[in-house]
Amino acid sequence: FSQAAAATAPPERDAPTMVELATVAQSKLTLSEVDALLRKQKLPATTTAVSPACKGEVVDPKAAFVCLDIDASKAAHSATAISARLIAPEKHSGVGDRLKSVVYGGLDGIITTFAVVAGATGGHLDTSIILILGVSSLIADAVSMGMGDAISSKAEGEMVLKEREREAWEMENFPEGEVEEMVQLYTERGLSEDVARTVVEGMATNPDFFVDQMVTDELGLELPDEEDNPWTNGLVTFGSFVCFGVFPLLAYICLDQTSAHQDTLFGLSCALTAIMLFVLGVVTVSYTHLTLPTKRIV
């Protein structure tokens, strides 16, 4: 019976070759499209259908973790899955990459502008003066925050690259000392000396990789991404400051020519400030929070 079943079973196919994977990369397919292609060829997919608790959707390693689906996680970490992710990485939202600047600028914009409005209202200044103070503060602080974010990020990146240059010089002139330094570092972190030496000597065969690792592990610094532009971060901070910071002023802008009392305008400004703080919190949570099921899927 087993021989008959083996004869009728479809032949197993090998994992995709590098040529096949390169073809996938050149076609610029998304990870989901790669999954569909592999399933059509009866090959292990880069991801797998999850258990019913996750509604049977195709998932990546992150989604497998959200569902606590061990089988999905194993499938997503197969050799085929890893190769496919390396050549056809998933596209991530650009907002997530700029979340720090969005939150940094938005929160400061809301609080700073509201503080100006509250102080001017408490001083019983005219609505026109409140608007002048609020708008001028909004623009000036937005420019200051944006420039500060960009310049500080640029300075930090240059400092890290300078440290990397120093480590590269040391590696070039005395590699044995750098290897020994990393061995001791990993030994202090709990590895045995033999294992640490094997790991470090293996990494040292690629000097560029080894230097990058020294910057991260020895100095505790993060190398800047080649595609990361500090001026883009500054522009995001500026835009977020203006977009969120204008809301405490909206009541005064929209109702300036009406007979609305200042107490009413200030009450509306307080309400808009609270709403935008809530919105900013929702934006933050939507990119950082994972809702996990209460029961693990096996």
Side-chain angles (χ1 to χ4, degrees), residues 109 111-142 241 245-246 248-249 252-253 262:
I111 300 300
T112 300
T113 308
F114 178 73
V116 172
V117 171
T121 302
H124 303 290
L125 300 180
D126 292 338
T127 302
S128 58
I129 297 178
I130 294 176
L131 280 174
I132 293 172
L133 291 175
V135 172
S136 60
S137 173
L138 178 68
I139 300 302
D141 287 345
F241 192 103
V246 74
L249 288 172
Y252 295 89
I253 294 173
Q262 267 205 9

Side-chain angles (χ1 to χ4, degrees), residues 34-88:
V34 172
D35 287 339
L37 177 62
L38 293 175
R39 286 198 303 271
K40 190 176 295 184
Q41 296 176 346
K42 297 182 180 179
L43 293 171
T46 62
T47 55
T48 186
V50 303
S51 298
C54 288
K55 301 179 182 179
E57 297 175 353
V58 175
V59 298
D60 62 6
K62 291 182 181 179
F65 170 70
V66 170
C67 298
L68 296 182
D69 191 326
I70 297 175
D71 291 335
S73 180
K74 289 179 180 178
H77 288 88
S78 65
T80 303
I82 295 170
S83 298
R85 283 199 298 274
L86 288 175
I87 63 172

